[in-house]
């Protein structure tokens, strides 16, 4: 899990969310029983025994545990000096490593850099629940690749991509690769969509008008409006049209947001697709404030609900949650009244994130502690101390995996 924190205050643009509803739950008060991360059940050897002599810096950028494979993935990165001048970007040597979940022993290592080959400029990894890691990599020689890495550390397959992009695992298990194009003289952006199966076979592809906003479940959201040009360059219009595509890469419906709307956000989560195909989009509307819009699977607008402008929102698959002033509130899509709430103890963090964990729970950080809660009623699963928590880290099945002093540590919270 990437632990990068996002500001939760002054939402200025938008956000959104979702959650599970199972009837009214009484408000929950956060328990004061905080589990300390003192004695790890194991500590791995150094993650950087393979450090290159000319590396400018080394870091771990991602940790992801897969209990079903008794495996912990660690993504490490080394900064390499750019010696050719062919690109202004930094160079990286990215390596994916596997560690035993039960002992912390190194199992294997896979580098995205071949001897005398190009280094990476950027990477993105999607971890499948069955253990495979799917990796997008942009290289310093101008090439782009999609790779499938088995949980044993062996390369399953590799595909060369025509342009830079991002990868998402969709509801049916396919891999969606999206690439946003450049704006033309008429203010139009054309983006490409390509779906691959788990064997790397291209299932379908399509070029669409607009830039990709979000992909999740069985929906792809696209900002389809032409851009407008002023003295500052090309700008988004204030009443954008959103086109929604399905897995066949055909447009299912479109929606024109109200005048003076901003749906593009500040980097925080603001668009979600629920398990049944319902789409949630958060918009900031001048003179109105923040609204969360819900569209049923056919594109019908279910509602637009006003939400606090400086709140965090998150999806749980069947509804949504808001977080503001140390209070979480849970909503479903049928009623605007909260069906559960929880008040958190401790001071809010400077940067707070509300995330969904691999095991289906919710996780939110305060200044000195992190809460894990059930998404159905916001009752607390665990509260653990973060004063000694390293970065990056992952939480799954009441266990924390975190990097401290260049070593991977495992803490059991049960």
């Amino acid at each position: 899990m990437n632990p990068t924190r996002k500001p939760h205050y002054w939402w200025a643009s938008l956000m959104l969310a979702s959650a599970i509803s199972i009837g009214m739950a009484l408000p929950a008060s956060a328990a004061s029983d905080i589990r300390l991360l003192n004695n790890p059940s194991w500590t791995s050897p150094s993650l950087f025994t393979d450090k290159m002599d000319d590396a400018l810096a080394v870091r771990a950028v991602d940790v992801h545990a897969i209990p079903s494979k008794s495996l912990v993935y660690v993504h490490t990165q080394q900064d390499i000096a750019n010696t050719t001048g062919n690109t202004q970007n930094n160079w990286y040597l990215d390596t994916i490593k596997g560690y035993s979940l039960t002992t912390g022993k190194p199992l294997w290592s896979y580098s995205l850099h071949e001897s005398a080959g190009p280094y990476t400029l950027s990477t993105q990894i999607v971890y499948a629940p069955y253990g495979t890691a799917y990796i997008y990599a942009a290289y310093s020689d101008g090439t782009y690749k999609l790779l499938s890495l088995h949980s044993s550390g062996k390369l399953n397959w590799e595909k060369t991509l025509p342009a830079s992009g991002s990868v998402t695992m969709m509801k049916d298990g396919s891999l969606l690769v999206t690439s946003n194009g450049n704006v033309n003289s008429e203010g139009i952006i054309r983006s490409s969509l390509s779906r691959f199966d788990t064997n790397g076979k291209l299932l379908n592809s399509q070029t669409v008008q607009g830039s990709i906003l979000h992909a999740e479940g069985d929906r792809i959201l696209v900002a389809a409006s032409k851009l407008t040009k002023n003295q500052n360059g090309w700008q988004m219009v204030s009443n954008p049209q959103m086109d929604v595509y399905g897995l066949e890469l055909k447009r299912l419906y479109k929606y024109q947001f109200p005048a003076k709307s901003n749906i593009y956000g500040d980097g925080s989560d603001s668009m979600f697709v629920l398990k049944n195909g319902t789409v949630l989009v958060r918009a900031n509307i001048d003179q109105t404030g923040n609204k969360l819009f819900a569209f049923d699977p056919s594109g019908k607008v279910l509602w637009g609900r006003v939400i606090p402008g400086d709140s965090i929102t998150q999806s749980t698959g069947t509804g949504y949650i808001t977080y503001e002033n140390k209070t979480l509130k849970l909503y479903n899509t049928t009623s605007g009244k909260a069906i559960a709430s929880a008040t958190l103890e401790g001071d809010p963090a400077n940067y707070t994130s509300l995330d969904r964990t691999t095991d289906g729970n919710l996780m939110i950080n305060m200044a000195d502690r992190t809460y894990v809660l059930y998404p159905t009623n916001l009752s607390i699963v665990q509260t653990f101390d973060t004063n000694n928590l390293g970065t990056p880290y992952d939480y799954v099945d009441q266990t924390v995996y975190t990097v401290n002093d260049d070593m991977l540590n495992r803490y059991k919270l049960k």
Side-chain angles (χ1 to χ4, degrees), residues 146 157 159 161 173-177 194-204:
L146 178 64
W157 50 262
K159 304 289 291 187
L161 302 174
S174 63
L175 300 166
L176 176 72
V177 177
S194 300
R195 281 176 63 240
F196 297 87
D197 68 13
T198 55
N199 294 315
K201 177 184 177 181
L202 180 65
L203 298 174
N204 51 6

Short mmCIF file of all heavy atoms in Angstrom, two decimals, residues 146 157 159 161 173-177 194-204:
data_model
loop_
_atom_site.label_atom_id
_atom_site.label_comp_id
_atom_site.label_asym_id
_atom_site.label_seq_id
_atom_site.Cartn_x
_atom_site.Cartn_y
_atom_site.Cartn_z
N LEU A 146 4.25 -3.48 -20.65
CA LEU A 146 3.37 -4.07 -19.66
C LEU A 146 3.88 -5.48 -19.41
O LEU A 146 4.04 -6.27 -20.35
CB LEU A 146 1.93 -4.11 -20.16
CG LEU A 146 0.89 -4.75 -19.23
CD1 LEU A 146 0.74 -3.95 -17.95
CD2 LEU A 146 -0.46 -4.87 -19.95
N TRP A 157 4.94 -12.90 -19.06
CA TRP A 157 4.93 -12.34 -20.40
C TRP A 157 5.23 -10.85 -20.35
O TRP A 157 5.20 -10.23 -19.28
CB TRP A 157 3.62 -12.59 -21.13
CG TRP A 157 2.36 -12.25 -20.38
CD1 TRP A 157 1.55 -13.10 -19.69
CD2 TRP A 157 1.76 -10.95 -20.24
NE1 TRP A 157 0.50 -12.44 -19.14
CE2 TRP A 157 0.59 -11.11 -19.47
CE3 TRP A 157 2.07 -9.68 -20.71
CZ2 TRP A 157 -0.25 -10.04 -19.14
CZ3 TRP A 157 1.25 -8.61 -20.39
CH2 TRP A 157 0.10 -8.80 -19.61
N LYS A 159 4.60 -7.20 -22.86
CA LYS A 159 4.00 -6.57 -24.04
C LYS A 159 4.59 -5.17 -24.21
O LYS A 159 4.76 -4.43 -23.24
CB LYS A 159 2.48 -6.44 -23.88
CG LYS A 159 1.75 -7.75 -23.61
CD LYS A 159 1.71 -8.65 -24.80
CE LYS A 159 0.84 -8.11 -25.90
NZ LYS A 159 0.66 -9.08 -27.02
N LEU A 161 3.99 -1.45 -25.42
CA LEU A 161 2.86 -0.56 -25.58
C LEU A 161 3.23 0.60 -26.50
O LEU A 161 4.39 1.01 -26.55
CB LEU A 161 2.40 -0.03 -24.22
CG LEU A 161 2.01 -1.09 -23.18
CD1 LEU A 161 1.71 -0.43 -21.85
CD2 LEU A 161 0.81 -1.90 -23.66
N GLY A 173 -11.34 -9.09 -14.28
CA GLY A 173 -9.96 -9.57 -14.22
C GLY A 173 -9.11 -9.12 -15.37
O GLY A 173 -7.89 -9.38 -15.38
N SER A 174 -9.70 -8.43 -16.37
CA SER A 174 -8.90 -7.94 -17.49
C SER A 174 -8.08 -6.73 -17.06
O SER A 174 -8.36 -6.08 -16.05
CB SER A 174 -9.80 -7.57 -18.66
OG SER A 174 -10.68 -6.50 -18.31
N LEU A 175 -7.04 -6.44 -17.85
CA LEU A 175 -6.15 -5.32 -17.58
C LEU A 175 -6.46 -4.20 -18.57
O LEU A 175 -6.33 -4.39 -19.78
CB LEU A 175 -4.69 -5.74 -17.71
CG LEU A 175 -4.26 -6.87 -16.77
CD1 LEU A 175 -2.93 -7.44 -17.20
CD2 LEU A 175 -4.19 -6.37 -15.33
N LEU A 176 -6.88 -3.06 -18.05
CA LEU A 176 -7.18 -1.91 -18.90
C LEU A 176 -5.97 -0.98 -18.91
O LEU A 176 -5.53 -0.50 -17.86
CB LEU A 176 -8.40 -1.16 -18.37
CG LEU A 176 -8.74 0.13 -19.12
CD1 LEU A 176 -9.31 -0.19 -20.51
CD2 LEU A 176 -9.72 0.98 -18.32
N VAL A 177 -5.43 -0.74 -20.10
CA VAL A 177 -4.34 0.22 -20.27
C VAL A 177 -4.92 1.47 -20.92
O VAL A 177 -5.51 1.39 -22.00
CB VAL A 177 -3.20 -0.36 -21.12
CG1 VAL A 177 -2.11 0.68 -21.35
CG2 VAL A 177 -2.62 -1.59 -20.45
N SER A 194 -7.21 0.11 -24.08
CA SER A 194 -6.87 -1.24 -24.53
C SER A 194 -7.05 -2.20 -23.38
O SER A 194 -6.59 -1.93 -22.26
CB SER A 194 -5.43 -1.32 -25.05
OG SER A 194 -5.21 -0.46 -26.14
N ARG A 195 -7.74 -3.32 -23.63
CA ARG A 195 -7.93 -4.35 -22.61
C ARG A 195 -7.18 -5.62 -22.99
O ARG A 195 -7.25 -6.09 -24.12
CB ARG A 195 -9.42 -4.68 -22.43
CG ARG A 195 -10.20 -3.68 -21.61
CD ARG A 195 -11.68 -4.03 -21.56
NE ARG A 195 -11.94 -5.30 -20.92
CZ ARG A 195 -12.53 -6.34 -21.50
NH1 ARG A 195 -12.92 -6.28 -22.76
NH2 ARG A 195 -12.75 -7.44 -20.82
N PHE A 196 -6.45 -6.16 -21.99
CA PHE A 196 -5.69 -7.39 -22.17
C PHE A 196 -6.21 -8.43 -21.19
O PHE A 196 -6.64 -8.09 -20.07
CB PHE A 196 -4.20 -7.17 -21.91
CG PHE A 196 -3.55 -6.21 -22.87
CD1 PHE A 196 -3.56 -4.85 -22.63
CD2 PHE A 196 -2.92 -6.67 -24.01
CE1 PHE A 196 -2.96 -3.96 -23.50
CE2 PHE A 196 -2.30 -5.79 -24.89
CZ PHE A 196 -2.32 -4.44 -24.64
N ASP A 197 -6.18 -9.71 -21.59
CA ASP A 197 -6.50 -10.75 -20.62
C ASP A 197 -5.25 -11.08 -19.81
O ASP A 197 -4.18 -10.49 -20.00
CB ASP A 197 -7.10 -11.99 -21.29
CG ASP A 197 -6.11 -12.76 -22.18
OD1 ASP A 197 -4.89 -12.51 -22.10
OD2 ASP A 197 -6.57 -13.63 -22.93
N THR A 198 -5.38 -12.01 -18.88
CA THR A 198 -4.27 -12.29 -17.96
C THR A 198 -3.12 -13.01 -18.64
O THR A 198 -2.05 -13.17 -18.04
CB THR A 198 -4.77 -13.13 -16.78
OG1 THR A 198 -5.42 -14.31 -17.27
CG2 THR A 198 -5.74 -12.33 -15.93
N ASN A 199 -3.30 -13.42 -19.90
CA ASN A 199 -2.22 -14.03 -20.69
C ASN A 199 -1.56 -13.02 -21.63
O ASN A 199 -0.70 -13.39 -22.43
CB ASN A 199 -2.75 -15.22 -21.50
CG ASN A 199 -3.20 -16.36 -20.61
OD1 ASN A 199 -2.51 -16.71 -19.65
ND2 ASN A 199 -4.37 -16.91 -20.91
N GLY A 200 -1.99 -11.75 -21.54
CA GLY A 200 -1.40 -10.72 -22.38
C GLY A 200 -2.05 -10.59 -23.74
O GLY A 200 -1.58 -9.82 -24.58
N LYS A 201 -3.15 -11.29 -23.99
CA LYS A 201 -3.85 -11.21 -25.27
C LYS A 201 -4.72 -9.95 -25.30
O LYS A 201 -5.45 -9.67 -24.36
CB LYS A 201 -4.73 -12.44 -25.49
CG LYS A 201 -5.54 -12.39 -26.77
CD LYS A 201 -6.46 -13.60 -26.88
CE LYS A 201 -7.33 -13.51 -28.13
NZ LYS A 201 -8.27 -14.67 -28.24
N LEU A 202 -4.61 -9.19 -26.40
CA LEU A 202 -5.43 -8.00 -26.56
C LEU A 202 -6.88 -8.41 -26.80
O LEU A 202 -7.19 -9.13 -27.75
CB LEU A 202 -4.92 -7.16 -27.73
CG LEU A 202 -5.70 -5.87 -28.01
CD1 LEU A 202 -5.57 -4.90 -26.85
CD2 LEU A 202 -5.21 -5.22 -29.31
N LEU A 203 -7.78 -7.95 -25.93
CA LEU A 203 -9.20 -8.28 -26.05
C LEU A 203 -9.93 -7.29 -26.94
O LEU A 203 -10.72 -7.67 -27.80
CB LEU A 203 -9.84 -8.31 -24.66
CG LEU A 203 -9.29 -9.36 -23.69
CD1 LEU A 203 -9.91 -9.18 -22.31
CD2 LEU A 203 -9.56 -10.76 -24.22
N ASN A 204 -9.71 -6.02 -26.73
CA ASN A 204 -10.31 -4.97 -27.55
C ASN A 204 -9.58 -3.67 -27.30
O ASN A 204 -8.85 -3.51 -26.32
CB ASN A 204 -11.82 -4.82 -27.29
CG ASN A 204 -12.16 -4.67 -25.83
OD1 ASN A 204 -11.29 -4.57 -24.97
ND2 ASN A 204 -13.45 -4.65 -25.52
#
